[in-house]
Amino acid sequence: MRPVARTVVLAVVLTVMAGLGACTPSAGDLTAPTARPGDTPTAGGEAVPPHSPPPPRGPSGCAVTGGPGGGGDAGSKVSYVQPLTAARGLGRDTAPRPDGRAAPWKDRPTVSLCFDVRSDPRVVRGSEQVTFTPDRRTCEIVFRAWPNKPETARAGNQLEVTSAAVDGRRQIPKVEAAGAPPGWPGTLVKVPVSRCVAAGRTVQVDLTFTLTVGANTPERVGYSSRDGSVWLGTAYPLLAWQRGKGWVTDPAVDLFGETVTSEEFRLRRLDVVAPAGEQVLGTGQAAGSMPSTKVRGSVVHRFRADSVRDVSLTVGRLRTVSRDVDGVRVHVGVPEDSVASAGEWADSTAAAIRALSSYLGPFPYRDLWVTVADGVGSGIEFPGAIQFSDVSPTRFPALVPHEVAHMWFYGLVGNDQARDPWLDEALAEYAETLVDGTAARSIRFQAPARVRDRVGESMAWYASLRNPDLYAAGVYRQGGAMLHRARKAAGPATFDRLLRGYLNANAHRIATPRDFARAFASRPKAIAILREYGAIPR
């Protein structure tokens, strides 16, 4: 992601960020409301609980799953700890695995999702089924509701679980604030298990949820008040399990950027029910579309993916183009009156894929879905998908390579983004400046004193500084300079080889700074630089 400051307009933000090298289903016609669903923030920047938008008309376009107690809008109650106040042919859907690259987790969860995007883009209803085999005993199944974090809540977004069942038995989830602002549903959703699940035993969880969508959100969840298009990333209850560790329950922080930690899962099915005539961009491989049997005038668009750690989708009246780039199918969707054409975005994306692959190895996904939306702040990455702001990619040449680099750093090799943000953002900054010709400028960067040699600090630490520019300087720019210095010390060819080794060894899992240091252990000068900058312990 490329961070943005809330107090400046987008054009200024992107100009500054380009210099810094930093990162970002249903019936009826899709119409654009004239007002956002939430009140505006207070002068102090605190989120204000949104007004309840009108409920969607008619039945949900998403099928209810799970059998008795497994769903339906009249499902089980939810216990809030913080009370509320107000198609291509279907072949292999993953890129070929190069020699030496680790395979996906054999026992990864299987997820089926459905989003019912109605004619009113302010309300989306959904259902989810997760089949999960924990590697240790657990007495609850934990999900994260990331639209309730402060940054997205301020724009009027919220995610509420409306029913839950475990192995067909109705359960009452316990929802904890965990960093959500007052008056919002929490970011932490704990679903109890009647009988604790032993390690190695498979459990099935069925959820239904309602998503309230804010207007022109400069983040991963929002809709355009201009054209009614809807962009949804991490807009569902996300399983919070980490292999060998258990549940990841760290509170959300008030800082623009990702705080998501997620193991990869098999996306068995992603159904998006949208009005006929709307374009739908998803995650993974497009598996076809068909008229909805539940909601007249709607179409069900289906996607699937073998191994991803998150899901993104976009619905709207978009101009689209698809292009094959060295075995990768690039799909681009832009607003009808966009600043740049879909072809221009496809050209920039293709160039970034080719340039980065020459250093990092084969592109991790067979499909890449690129959405351009006028509300997005700059660029936000998802596995096999990117959301971009409605700007010219040629005017801001650092934007596309940064987000495409995230397909390796965060997509292929995951990390705890809240605890170790440098493992994806500093590496994406490094890769971006390596291929866009600004590496020499990057290596000369001197960080402000407050964040100097603090590359390895958590997002909570940076949020405590109450200055998002220091996060951009301390993790992105300083982290990029650190890695370019390490490359020079190790020798470019050696560094490139060891970095590809890190990617191959840690593919499809959540890596740590210790894993990165292990990959470069044969080059003590490079390790010394990482220690000097505070990326790994001294």
Side-chain angles (χ1 to χ4, degrees):
M1 175 184 280
R2 298 175 62 85
V4 297
R6 289 190 295 265
T7 55
V8 293
V9 298
L10 175 63
V12 175
V13 168
L14 286 172
T15 300
V16 173
M17 289 298 108
L20 293 180
C23 175
T24 125
S26 12
D29 296 327
L30 193 62
T31 57
T34 57
R36 66 192 298 169
D39 294 332
T40 55
T42 64
E46 295 181 358
V48 177
H51 300 301
S52 296
R57 296 187 301 271
S60 171
C62 290
V64 175
T65 58
D73 292 335
S76 63
K77 297 179 179 179
V78 176
S79 171
Y80 286 98
V81 174
Q82 175 179 290
L84 302 182
T85 58
R88 284 182 296 149
L90 296 182
R92 180 180 173 88
D93 62 354
T94 54
R97 193 171 77 247
D99 292 341
R101 182 173 288 180
W105 177 21
K106 180 182 177 182
D107 294 324
R108 60 192 177 280
T110 297
V111 175
S112 295
L113 277 166
C114 179
F115 291 85
D116 181 0
V117 182
R118 297 228 157 231
S119 58
D120 184 343
R122 297 174 295 176
V123 182
V124 173
R125 289 189 288 182
S127 63
E128 178 177 13
Q129 183 177 92
V130 177
T131 304
F132 169 57
T133 306
D135 58 6
R136 62 179 62 188
R137 185 175 184 270
T138 182
C139 297
E140 60 187 3
I141 310 297
V142 180
F143 296 85
R144 301 309 298 260
W146 288 115
N148 300 330
K149 70 175 186 173
E151 188 72 30
T152 41
R154 264 192 292 270
N157 298 279
Q158 68 175 30
L159 175 63
E160 295 181 78
V161 173
T162 54
S163 73
V166 179
D167 290 335
R169 185 185 296 272
R170 191 185 302 268
Q171 299 292 345
I172 299 178
K174 179 180 179 182
V175 181
E176 299 178 7
W184 247 257
T187 72
L188 193 60
V189 181
K190 297 181 177 181
V191 182
V193 179
S194 298
R195 296 179 180 177
C196 295
V197 181
R201 185 174 80 82
T202 300
V203 62
Q204 177 179 300
V205 185
D206 291 274
L207 304 172
T208 60
F209 58 89
T210 299
L211 180 70
T212 303
V213 186
N216 307 316
T217 310
E219 253 271 19
R220 63 189 55 221
V221 182
Y223 77 89
S224 170
S225 60
R226 185 176 66 181
D227 62 20
S229 60
V230 183
W231 56 93
L232 305 176
T234 326
Y236 60 98
L238 181 71
L239 189 70
W241 184 265
Q242 183 174 344
R243 281 179 282 171
K245 178 179 178 179
W247 301 116
V248 181
T249 60
D250 307 85
V253 298
D254 193 359
L255 188 66
F256 184 88
E258 301 87 353
T259 55
V260 176
T261 303
S262 175
E263 292 281 6
E264 288 190 341
F265 52 85
R266 179 180 288 107
L267 183 61
R268 178 175 176 269
R269 185 174 65 201
L270 166 62
D271 284 353
V272 183
V273 188
E278 301 294 320
Q279 299 294 326
V280 176
L281 284 71
T283 296
Q285 182 186 30
S289 61
M290 66 198 77
S292 172
T293 59
K294 295 175 66 66
V295 183
R296 180 179 299 177
S298 293
V299 176
V300 181
H301 302 258
R302 179 164 293 177
F303 304 84
R304 71 181 190 187
D306 182 63
S307 200
V308 292
R309 63 183 79 250
D310 202 351
V311 169
S312 171
L313 63 102
T314 304
V315 177
R317 297 191 180 277
L318 306 171
R319 297 184 185 275
T320 61
V321 67
S322 294
R323 186 172 300 174
D324 289 311
V325 183
D326 298 339
V328 180
R329 187 73 164 172
V330 176
H331 315 260
V332 179
V334 304
E336 292 185 346
D337 57 350
S338 61
V339 172
S341 70
E344 290 176 274
W345 282 101
D347 289 342
S348 294
T349 304
I353 288 174
R354 292 189 176 109
L356 290 164
S357 295
S358 67
Y359 288 102
L360 305 177
F363 192 77
Y365 305 100
R366 188 174 289 277
D367 291 81
L368 177 61
W369 299 83
V370 176
T371 291
V372 175
D374 59 351
V376 174
S378 53
I380 306 173
E381 74 279 0
F382 304 89
I386 303 172
Q387 298 172 351
F388 284 119
S389 179
D390 186 14
V391 297
S392 169
T394 56
R395 184 180 177 190
F396 303 102
L399 184 61
V400 174
H402 184 101
E403 302 306 333
V404 173
H406 274 303
M407 299 304 108
W408 286 269
F409 305 112
Y410 163 70
L412 178 62
V413 177
N415 60 297
D416 186 324
Q417 294 182 303
R419 184 190 64 208
D420 306 311
W422 78 269
L423 277 179
D424 63 297
E425 295 299 359
L427 280 158
E429 167 88 3
Y430 157 81
E432 162 207 322
T433 53
L434 183 65
V435 302
D436 73 2
T438 60
R441 183 178 65 188
S442 174
I443 204 171
R444 294 194 299 268
F445 177 74
Q446 294 293 321
R450 292 182 70 188
V451 297
R452 190 169 300 149
D453 300 336
R454 307 299 290 267
V455 168
E457 297 290 351
S458 68
M459 287 187 70
W461 186 87
Y462 275 99
S464 71
L465 302 179
R466 300 187 179 279
N467 184 344
D469 292 340
L470 290 177
Y471 175 56
V475 172
Y476 290 67
R477 294 197 68 193
Q478 182 177 214
M482 170 191 74
L483 291 165
H484 279 295
R485 280 191 60 195
R487 184 173 189 257
K488 184 176 180 180
T494 298
F495 187 91
D496 295 347
R497 174 176 58 81
L498 295 176
L499 185 57
R500 288 193 296 271
Y502 163 79
L503 286 164
N504 287 342
N506 294 283
H508 308 292
R509 60 182 294 267
I510 296 174
T512 66
R514 186 182 300 274
D515 294 318
F516 193 85
R518 185 180 299 115
F520 289 86
S522 64
R523 291 296 178 267
K525 290 183 179 179
I527 292 294
I529 291 170
L530 297 178
R531 289 197 176 108
E532 174 190 341
Y533 278 81
I536 61 176
R538 294 182 181 273

